[in-house]
Amino acid sequence: MPLRSTARTSLVELVIEQMERLIADGEWPVGAKIPAEPVLVEQLDVGRNTVREAVRALVHTGMLEPRQGDGTYVRARSGFGAAVQRRLRRAANLEAYEVRSCLERDAARYAAERRTDEDLTALREALAVRGRAWDTGDAARFVEADMRFHRAVAAAAHNGLLAELYEQFSDALREALAAVVDTPLLPDAVRHQFDAHAAIVDAIEARDPDAAERAALTHLAEAAQVLREAPAEPAQKTKTAGATNGTARNDGTQEEAQS
């Protein structure tokens, strides 16, 4: 095969790569507003057109979301996360919970086998934060605390691919989780489930993978059962706590807000 000249990387591509790294590293977290265009032009030392093209490309992938009259926000931490998010907007809450169960079952089992003392400390702290968030009655804050707890479980599994997959999935799942927490279908005991979450941590601390797996499945099974038994109702637009944009329907999908 004859050698061919290497294509030069365009300035726009370099800016896209920098922005992607900022998002992936958490410098621009999901839900955060990115700097305004003049600030990006100054910080990146490039022209306005270059910044606009880079932002437009990331909007196209779904990583960024422009909001008319407000600015541009981070919607997903990767193109993969954005794709999962788009798919979840077409999924019912029950489907999302079943997929979540698969990930959390294995994460809990591996965490029980591999956790460190530092992991255990992080889990206990995340559990306490979750409990305090419940006491505030703030649904959005509670969803974030619940996600933090389960991310800590995934991190304790010490499987980089599983942890990254859960990160991407949980970012995409945020709106669906908020819809579930906010629905009147679930009794408070099922929403809270403090004992069930404490059982996950206890099993991980005891290095009992079977018990950790059972506890992880149990806490999701209660909510899933309520959703299975819920009567089908016409879709209604409701305001969802914790949703960054759009309106929630009662089947867990999201409709884009009209600007």
Side-chain angles (χ1 to χ4, degrees):
M1 177 184 292
L3 295 174
R4 287 179 288 184
S5 61
T6 302
R8 289 191 177 92
T9 302
S10 73
L11 192 55
V12 173
E13 289 173 331
L14 290 173
V15 172
I16 290 172
E17 289 176 5
Q18 286 191 62
M19 290 182 173
E20 286 177 332
R21 280 199 301 271
L22 288 168
I23 295 170
D25 294 343
E27 293 290 330
W28 291 355
V30 173
K33 183 178 179 179
I34 71 170
E37 184 181 280
V39 177
L40 291 174
V41 167
E42 181 180 351
Q43 291 181 346
L44 295 167
D45 194 23
V46 295
R48 285 181 179 270
N49 287 340
T50 298
V51 169
R52 287 174 184 171
E53 285 188 47
V55 170
R56 191 179 301 120
L58 293 178
V59 167
H60 181 71
T61 67
M63 291 178 68
L64 294 180
E65 176 188 32
R67 299 183 189 174
Q68 189 172 6
D70 189 6
T72 302
Y73 287 76
V74 179
R75 190 177 182 96
R77 70 180 69 210
S78 72
F80 171 72
V84 173
Q85 194 173 90
R86 287 193 295 271
R87 179 61 185 88
L88 274 173
R89 286 201 295 273
R90 303 195 306 273
N93 285 330
L94 178 57
E95 287 184 324
Y97 260 68
E98 288 176 345
V99 173
R100 184 185 175 195
S101 295
C102 296
L103 292 173
E104 293 191 7
R105 175 195 63 202
D106 289 342
R109 170 172 280 280
Y110 292 137
E113 294 173 350
R114 303 169 182 172
R115 63 91 176 159
T116 64
D117 291 342
E118 290 76 16
D119 292 327
L120 194 58
T121 298
L123 285 167
R124 291 291 183 194
E125 180 182 348
L127 184 63
V129 170
R130 186 181 182 278
R132 290 194 294 271
W134 172 263
D135 292 337
T136 67
D138 185 331
R141 182 177 174 186
F142 179 69
V143 166
E144 293 301 325
D146 186 70
M147 290 173 61
R148 173 182 171 179
F149 172 82
H150 291 290
R151 282 185 173 126
V153 174
H158 292 279
N159 179 310
L161 183 56
L162 188 151
E164 183 176 353
L165 183 60
Y166 191 81
E167 285 277 347
Q168 302 293 352
F169 185 78
S170 61
D171 279 342
L173 191 59
R174 179 182 278 102
E175 291 177 1
L177 287 176
V180 171
V181 169
D182 207 35
T183 181
L185 293 173
L186 298 185
D188 281 350
V190 176
R191 302 175 206 237
H192 187 197
Q193 292 185 313
F194 182 84
D195 291 342
H197 284 72
I200 295 174
V201 180
D202 290 343
I204 291 173
E205 180 176 17
R207 300 190 186 278
D208 187 337
D210 291 336
E213 180 178 331
R214 286 195 302 271
L217 291 176
T218 296
H219 99 272
L220 286 169
E222 288 182 318
Q225 187 60 36
V226 172
L227 294 172
R228 287 190 188 97
E229 295 173 354
E233 298 178 3
Q236 296 178 348
K237 292 182 180 180
T238 59
K239 203 70 172 166
T240 303
T244 55
N245 191 40
T247 55
R249 300 207 309 247
N250 64 352
D251 64 354
T253 58
Q254 295 288 318
E255 292 180 344
E256 292 299 318
Q258 299 297 317
S259 57

